[in-house]
Amino acid sequence: MNSSQFLFQPDSLDQSSAESDVESEPERVSAYQKLLSTLNSPSEEEEESEGEDGSDEGEDPEVEEESEQEVEEGGDDEDEESEGGEVENGIPGQEAEEEGGDEDEEVGIPGEEFTDKEHESKFSLETNVLGEEEEEEESANTGERISQDLFVQHLSTELNEEEVKSITTKDKTRTHVKWPRLGNLVCTSSQQKYSSPLGAPKDLSPSQAHLYKPLELTWPKVNQPLLLPEHQHGFTPLQQELLSIMGSYRDLYLPESSALANGPQVRSVYCLHALNHVLKANSQVLAHNTQLRNTKPGSEPDELRDQGLTRPKVLILVPFRDSAMRVVQTLISLLEVGDRKLDVSNKKRFKDEFGSGPENQPAKLSRPDDYHAVFSGNVDDHFRIGVSILQKSMRLYSPFYSSDIIIASPLGLRTVLGVEGDKKREFDFLSSIELLIIDQADVFLMQNWEHVLHMMKHLNLQPLDSHGVDFSRVRMWNLNNWSRYYRQTLLFSAIQDPQINAIHSKHCCNYRGQVAVKNLPKTGSISQVLVQLPHIFQRLEADSFMDQDARFQFFVDKVLPQYRDAVMSHTLIYIPSYFDYVRLRNYLRKEELNCTHICEYSKKSEVSRARHFFQTGDKQFLLFTERFHFYKRYTIKGICNLIFYALPTYPHFYSEMCNMLKASSSGEEATWTCTALYSRYDMQRLAAIAGAERAAQMLQSKKSVHLFVTGGEETL
């Protein structure tokens, strides 16, 4: 394994000097770091003033309306006025990153790095061996683990070239299984000999889950807050089914992981699986070190291939620092056996940088519960941290090439990976990732999905440098550049979305197969609309999910002419895509239509004026982006006509927008309208809004216009 260090500047703006942080070198704060801190730390006055939002009828158009934590605010007038193709990504606060591109030049200072020379040998896999206690335990369990534990079977399996070729070229077999908690499972595989059919879920206990011995003791205590009295074995029913699939080393896609509902259960069980994988892998390396040390000259054992080309084994992608902190806290809790506290290097520094300070405290705002569940704690989205685990100790902020686990946001990784042509970029540390965990993937859609795709392209590539690895210990399938076929991917999201589905279907090629949870929604979010409102769904013909030209032309030719008349005032146009927003905004300006607009880049003063002019009727149209709604959840008053340019990414956004019509109701309910555009590629979103049965009818029907009425007798 490799002990060389990866040169990169850590994300922090503050440096701890207490406890175990003394070994850290001081850092300078770059201009880009200062910029990032301003994007996520609104003043208390700003938070308090937004607390008044939604209760006043007449707003002063010149008064700046303040908002809650500025999770993703750009507010750049140049971006606001750009053409559709000029803004590379529609995410607030990302322009600076795109301009910089190279983290060492823009974020870090050349020559500076985080080092931990004092503890390097303590956490080195090359120089450490098992202690006497660990050696006895390892010797006692080796036979059982080799015969039963799929960890050993999975990594020791040697594929041949024909099998590897068939993974990408052979048609996959597909089977359907129904489990009590997860529901319908779709299992796919191209190698039947390595993926036995999924039977009924096993009633697991910690001792039956092939956990590393200390985890059997700590798991029941860590998971206790999530258990109900009827849960007898230390797992919830959901966790038992998830761990059954994870333990088989198949890829898993769960599009029903909500931060408000089962998110904590999912996070706990994937942390358990990841830590179990790391402890077993490191224990195997240390056991072989001990074996080699005790070997007499001339009696060397056969090849002991037990590692990859680089040390990092697990990559966990999460959207915010608070999410990363919860993951690390879970890992620490799982390693604390009995009353013994785990020795964690740089713990105070981590708490300072990833914890919630006064600026991160949520304002007392009237927002839905799911909003508070997602945006709790520190919501900075630019971070990465290495974690190494050895000898009952943990080191946070370890150099990537000395880390077992890397926890990062897509943006935090992107600034290290760079792009082709950058003078300094690094991605070799992703070469031997054996377990990829993507949590809250739906939030990445609201940040910048391109960063996720960029990361996937650089995963499990052959390293450009040896990084001091002992090739005699590297597994043959790592040397053959077949790591991607052994990588297990766990993908969790709150929603079904074609872009997330594509990660599972196109970027996951685990030889043990894939499992996807696919349950059709019986009732759609339209049932949550409380106002009496006719809903007109118009189908358009498109060539693909991303056919923006067909949608734009349909809207301009078929829909917009119905709303040009001044009688159809107070029309809000909801637009999920920022590119569509820019294109439509420029068209309305060209046509000199009376419109205003709000997007994720808008300044508070611009938002306040736009809302005021729209409510009073001074502006006939309001263009409104989905990402602004995701990050702010303002109540827009004065809506009489609602147009969904495309169906919302989150189905409950549909009912939320429709229910805004009652915010300033003054007897004009009879004139309210709601129009939604969809194509045959919007099946998943349509089913989540209208229900699976009705969505199927709407897509198969010869009619292109369908009507629902809520708030009274609902008809089709």
Side-chain angles (χ1 to χ4, degrees):
M1 290 295 294
N2 167 42
S3 62
S4 62
Q5 297 176 345
F6 169 45
L7 306 183
F8 76 98
Q9 182 79 4
D11 307 315
S12 67
L13 302 179
D14 304 313
Q15 191 78 345
S16 290
S17 57
E19 295 180 345
S20 56
D21 293 355
V22 293
E23 66 271 16
S24 302
E25 295 183 359
E27 300 175 7
R28 302 178 193 175
V29 180
S30 71
Y32 182 49
Q33 289 172 314
K34 293 179 180 179
L35 173 63
L36 288 174
S37 66
T38 63
L39 297 179
N40 295 279
S41 303
S43 67
E44 293 182 3
E45 294 180 357
E46 292 175 346
E47 292 180 342
E48 292 173 357
S49 62
E50 170 53 18
E52 303 297 325
D53 173 57
S55 60
D56 52 317
E57 290 296 326
E59 299 177 52
D60 186 349
E62 298 301 325
V63 176
E64 290 191 9
E65 176 176 289
E66 310 295 337
S67 67
E68 64 270 36
Q69 290 175 300
E70 294 304 311
V71 181
E72 288 275 342
E73 182 181 350
D76 191 336
D77 286 333
E78 294 180 2
D79 290 330
E80 181 67 13
E81 298 300 324
S82 66
E83 294 296 325
E86 294 177 0
V87 178
E88 191 166 338
N89 46 22
I91 308 296
Q94 299 298 318
E95 292 74 21
E97 183 267 323
E98 290 297 332
E99 291 175 6
D102 187 349
E103 190 239 7
D104 284 322
E105 294 180 2
E106 295 295 328
V107 180
I109 298 174
E112 289 193 0
E113 60 176 322
F114 177 81
T115 59
D116 192 8
K117 296 179 180 178
E118 179 182 350
H119 296 86
E120 191 64 41
S121 61
K122 178 181 177 181
F123 288 91
S124 171
L125 282 181
E126 291 87 347
T127 58
N128 275 275
V129 295
L130 290 177
E132 292 184 4
E133 181 181 344
E134 292 87 352
E135 189 173 356
E136 292 178 2
E137 184 177 297
E138 179 72 14
S139 176
N141 295 319
T142 297
E144 179 183 358
R145 190 201 303 165
I146 291 178
S147 62
Q148 298 181 12
D149 192 351
L150 274 173
F151 163 80
V152 176
Q153 296 179 27
H154 176 63
L155 296 183
S156 61
T157 297
E158 294 290 346
L159 300 176
N160 56 49
E161 292 187 8
E162 184 178 343
E163 290 173 332
V164 168
K165 184 178 180 180
S166 68
I167 292 175
T168 54
T169 59
K170 183 180 177 181
D171 292 337
K172 295 184 178 181
T173 59
R174 182 176 303 226
T175 57
H176 296 263
V177 181
K178 189 170 185 178
W179 280 10
R181 181 58 182 83
L182 290 175
N184 296 309
L185 306 180
V186 179
C187 309
T188 57
S189 177
S190 59
Q191 299 292 322
Q192 293 302 305
K193 60 183 289 188
Y194 299 117
S195 54
S196 57
L198 279 180
K202 298 179 180 179
D203 192 14
L204 291 176
S205 65
S207 60
Q208 297 170 328
H210 297 295
L211 298 180
Y212 198 70
K213 285 297 181 181
L215 299 181
E216 293 183 12
L217 303 175
T218 58
W219 171 254
K221 180 180 178 180
V222 172
N223 202 45
Q224 184 60 42
L226 301 175
L227 299 177
L228 298 177
E230 59 268 25
H231 299 154
Q232 301 296 327
H233 300 291
F235 296 96
T236 67
L238 174 64
Q239 289 175 332
Q240 284 197 343
E241 296 186 10
L242 289 176
L243 194 59
S244 295
I245 299 174
M246 293 177 186
S248 70
Y249 277 90
R250 291 174 168 92
D251 295 333
L252 172 63
Y253 174 32
L254 175 64
E256 300 173 5
S257 175
S258 165
L260 182 61
N262 55 15
Q265 294 185 53
V266 172
R267 178 173 57 247
S268 295
V269 77
Y270 76 61
C271 285
L272 174 67
H273 179 63
L275 189 56
N276 189 46
H277 182 89
V278 169
L279 291 175
K280 289 181 179 180
N282 286 355
S283 176
Q284 187 181 58
V285 172
L286 297 183
H288 288 166
N289 288 350
T290 303
Q291 183 179 348
L292 290 172
R293 185 189 66 175
N294 298 332
T295 299
K296 297 180 180 180
S299 60
E300 288 79 5
D302 295 334
E303 290 184 339
L304 300 176
R305 298 192 177 273
D306 51 17
Q307 50 199 268
L309 288 163
T310 53
R311 179 169 172 177
K313 309 168 188 65
V314 179
L315 172 62
I316 303 177
L317 283 188
V318 287
F320 304 121
R321 283 181 182 257
D322 180 74
S323 308
M325 185 171 190
R326 293 174 188 269
V327 168
V328 171
Q329 287 174 337
T330 303
L331 297 177
I332 292 174
S333 299
L334 286 170
L335 287 169
E336 292 183 334
V337 180
D339 297 329
R340 178 180 61 83
K341 289 293 183 181
L342 185 70
D343 180 16
V344 183
S345 302
N346 307 308
K347 188 175 181 179
K348 184 178 184 301
R349 175 189 172 190
F350 176 77
K351 183 178 179 181
D352 291 342
E353 296 177 4
F354 285 75
S356 301
E359 71 279 4
N360 299 122
Q361 295 301 318
K364 296 181 180 179
L365 303 169
S366 177
R367 295 292 184 268
D369 292 339
D370 68 286
Y371 177 89
H372 292 293
V374 172
F375 296 107
S376 62
N378 190 331
V379 291
D380 178 30
D381 68 344
H382 184 259
F383 63 90
R384 59 191 171 272
I385 181 171
V387 181
S388 56
I389 302 167
L390 206 63
Q391 303 291 72
K392 300 179 181 179
S393 301
M394 175 184 289
R395 176 173 59 156
L396 303 175
Y397 296 96
S398 58
F400 277 6
Y401 289 103
S402 300
S403 301
D404 297 299
I405 302 174
I406 296 173
I407 306 171
S409 66
L411 174 59
L413 273 187
R414 178 65 182 264
T415 52
V416 176
L417 300 179
V419 294
E420 188 174 354
D422 286 349
K423 294 180 180 179
K424 294 183 180 180
R425 56 189 304 227
E426 190 65 64
F427 51 83
D428 284 357
F429 58 86
L430 297 177
S431 64
S432 299
I433 294 296
E434 299 164 0
L435 177 57
L436 169 65
I437 300 172
I438 302 178
D439 195 11
Q440 294 179 273
D442 52 289
V443 178
F444 300 147
L445 290 173
M446 298 293 118
Q447 293 178 338
N448 193 326
W449 190 250
E450 287 298 322
H451 294 337
V452 178
L453 298 179
H454 190 72
M455 180 276 300
M456 296 301 298
K457 293 177 182 177
H458 291 80
L459 205 58
N460 297 122
L461 299 179
Q462 200 80 331
L464 302 178
D465 190 8
S466 66
H467 301 283
V469 67
D470 180 358
F471 287 99
S472 67
R473 299 282 294 273
V474 177
R475 302 184 191 93
M476 291 306 300
W477 50 264
N478 286 104
L479 296 175
N480 290 334
N481 197 24
W482 291 348
S483 298
R484 71 192 69 181
Y485 305 115
Y486 287 78
R487 185 191 73 235
Q488 182 185 29
T489 303
L490 307 179
L491 182 57
F492 304 104
S493 170
I495 58 172
Q496 289 264 11
D497 187 88
Q499 297 180 85
I500 301 176
N501 297 346
I503 294 291
H504 178 72
S505 60
K506 296 182 179 180
H507 294 275
C508 295
C509 45
N510 184 351
Y511 78 91
R512 288 198 172 268
Q514 292 77 38
V515 178
V517 178
K518 292 191 177 181
N519 296 312
L520 294 176
K522 295 181 179 179
T523 59
S525 62
I526 194 172
S527 62
Q528 300 168 2
V529 177
L530 304 178
V531 297
Q532 187 170 355
L533 181 67
H535 304 259
I536 302 173
F537 288 81
Q538 297 193 38
R539 188 175 68 226
L540 60 94
E541 299 300 326
D543 294 330
S544 69
F545 175 77
M546 301 300 292
D547 191 350
Q548 298 171 332
D549 292 336
R551 188 175 298 272
F552 175 78
Q553 208 59 46
F554 183 88
F555 178 83
V556 169
D557 296 340
K558 304 292 185 181
V559 179
L560 189 58
Q562 305 173 31
Y563 293 87
R564 283 179 175 267
D565 197 302
V567 178
M568 304 296 287
S569 61
H570 298 278
T571 298
L572 184 144
I573 305 176
Y574 180 97
I575 312 173
S577 167
Y578 179 79
F579 300 103
D580 289 336
Y581 160 81
V582 172
R583 185 177 190 178
L584 201 55
R585 182 198 64 200
N586 293 341
Y587 176 81
L588 294 182
R589 284 178 175 174
K590 180 181 178 182
E591 294 294 312
E592 298 183 348
L593 294 178
N594 187 21
C595 72
T596 186
H597 39 79
I598 297 176
C599 73
E600 54 269 30
Y601 294 108
S602 301
K603 296 179 180 178
K604 299 183 200 66
S605 57
E606 296 170 342
V607 173
S608 179
R609 285 193 291 269
R611 293 175 66 188
H612 173 79
F613 291 141
F614 180 71
Q615 181 181 351
T616 58
D618 293 336
K619 297 292 184 180
Q620 181 179 355
F621 294 95
L622 171 62
L623 302 184
F624 188 83
T625 64
E626 180 172 73
R627 286 177 181 173
F628 179 85
H629 183 64
F630 175 79
Y631 285 108
K632 303 301 180 185
R633 298 291 185 93
Y634 286 3
T635 297
I636 306 298
K637 299 177 181 178
I639 305 174
C640 292
N641 304 290
L642 181 59
I643 301 175
F644 289 94
Y645 186 82
L647 299 179
T649 303
Y650 290 89
H652 63 279
F653 283 3
Y654 184 90
S655 56
E656 283 185 10
M657 295 302 301
C658 291
N659 288 330
M660 286 184 188
L661 274 69
K662 66 179 180 181
S664 57
S665 176
S666 57
E668 64 278 312
E669 291 89 341
T671 62
W672 287 348
T673 67
C674 176
T675 300
L677 307 185
Y678 71 96
S679 73
R680 62 191 180 95
Y681 296 100
D682 295 324
M683 174 62 189
Q684 292 173 340
R685 294 186 181 183
L686 185 62
I689 293 173
E693 185 177 347
R694 283 180 173 166
Q697 294 176 4
M698 294 165 67
L699 291 171
Q700 296 171 6
S701 174
K702 295 181 179 179
K703 298 179 180 179
S704 60
V705 180
H706 300 268
L707 173 67
F708 296 86
V709 178
T710 56
E713 183 179 355
E714 195 172 347
T715 59
L716 178 62

